[in-house]
Amino acid sequence: KGDSAFVSAPVVGKHHWVVKQTAVKARTADGGLEDTGLCTDGCGAIVDSGTSMILVPSKHIKVLAKYIQIKTDCSNLKQLPTLHLTLGGHTTAIPPRAYVLRVKKSDGSFRCRSGISTLEKQSQVGPVWVLGLPFMREYITVFDRTERQVRFAGAAQDCSILPFKDASTTPAPTTNTSLVLHNAQEQEDEEAPEVDERLNLYPSWARAGGVNIEL
């Protein structure tokens, strides 16, 4: 399928693989699409394979909490919304199975928790988001140094490439689930990934003091 499966987003930073994020919407289980109002003036979204979670400002976490209420027993995974993130003009879809994490407890059972955490950084292109492994489990990502762009395609369960489908043009699901939004999300596996919290990855630059950062 090659390059035709990918779409491209221009890199807008000097030091990071950052693209402009201009919308965050929530596709609810009943098929509705609600605009959260986040990033309408622009956010800087860093695509980073070295981060275990999706990181967003605390004010954005509070807004997302209105839509994302995860039961610790993992029983409401199919009722949670899919997040639509518009990156460089292309709308991606992050389903619950990507942003919900299953943590194994000592008795062998699991508890579910959010894979979205806080990062308080402000950049020249707006509040900073970091799209870590939850995003990259859904999208095969190519970092193109020559053209200064990030390219996305759908990711199959076996990590093969699927053509990118823009979530903004995908019809709402007809069943009581918010997961069917692009090729990777049309698969049967809807289970959140098992994670070891001891192995969490967090970008070193994010630990530096101060709120302002040049991306």
Side-chain angles (χ1 to χ4, degrees), residues 21-202:
Q21 181 171 308
T22 53
V24 180
K25 298 182 180 181
R27 173 75 76 186
T28 56
D30 62 4
L33 186 62
E34 298 185 21
D35 192 338
T36 67
L38 299 176
C39 298
T40 54
D41 294 325
C43 291
I46 300 173
V47 185
D48 183 18
S49 61
T51 302
S52 296
M53 296 189 288
I54 293 175
L55 304 178
V56 309
S58 58
K59 290 183 179 179
H60 293 193
I61 285 276
K62 292 178 181 178
V63 173
L64 293 175
K66 299 176 183 178
Y67 303 91
I68 301 173
Q69 298 179 16
I70 301 167
K71 292 185 177 180
T72 57
D73 65 359
C74 310
S75 62
N76 69 330
L77 186 66
K78 292 183 180 181
Q79 283 70 53
L80 294 172
T82 289
L83 297 179
H84 286 200
L85 310 180
T86 301
L87 307 173
H90 306 287
T91 302
T92 61
I94 312 302
R97 67 151 185 261
Y99 65 73
V100 175
L101 305 178
R102 291 190 308 138
V103 180
K104 195 170 186 177
K105 298 191 292 186
S106 58
D107 63 1
S109 63
F110 291 91
R111 66 177 177 87
C112 273
R113 51 156 294 193
S114 176
I116 304 174
S117 190
T118 57
L119 174 70
E120 302 297 347
K121 296 292 182 182
Q122 180 72 29
S123 75
Q124 73 273 23
V125 290
V128 176
W129 283 47
V130 179
L131 305 180
L133 295 182
F135 177 85
M136 300 185 80
R137 280 192 285 268
E138 295 298 308
Y139 291 96
I140 290 175
T141 304
V142 175
F143 301 98
D144 188 335
R145 291 183 179 274
T146 302
E147 301 295 331
R148 286 187 52 78
Q149 61 186 13
V150 181
R151 296 189 288 146
F152 307 111
Q157 287 177 294
D158 62 358
C159 295
S160 60
I161 298 171
L162 296 171
F164 180 90
K165 281 190 175 181
D166 196 295
S168 67
T169 61
T170 304
T174 56
T175 58
N176 188 30
T177 176
S178 59
L179 298 183
V180 184
L181 284 167
H182 67 74
N183 282 16
Q185 292 162 333
E186 291 171 359
Q187 304 169 65
E188 293 182 358
D189 183 10
E190 298 175 357
E191 192 170 68
E194 179 183 343
V195 298
D196 186 339
E197 288 187 307
R198 297 170 299 178
L199 302 178
N200 273 351
L201 301 173
Y202 197 84

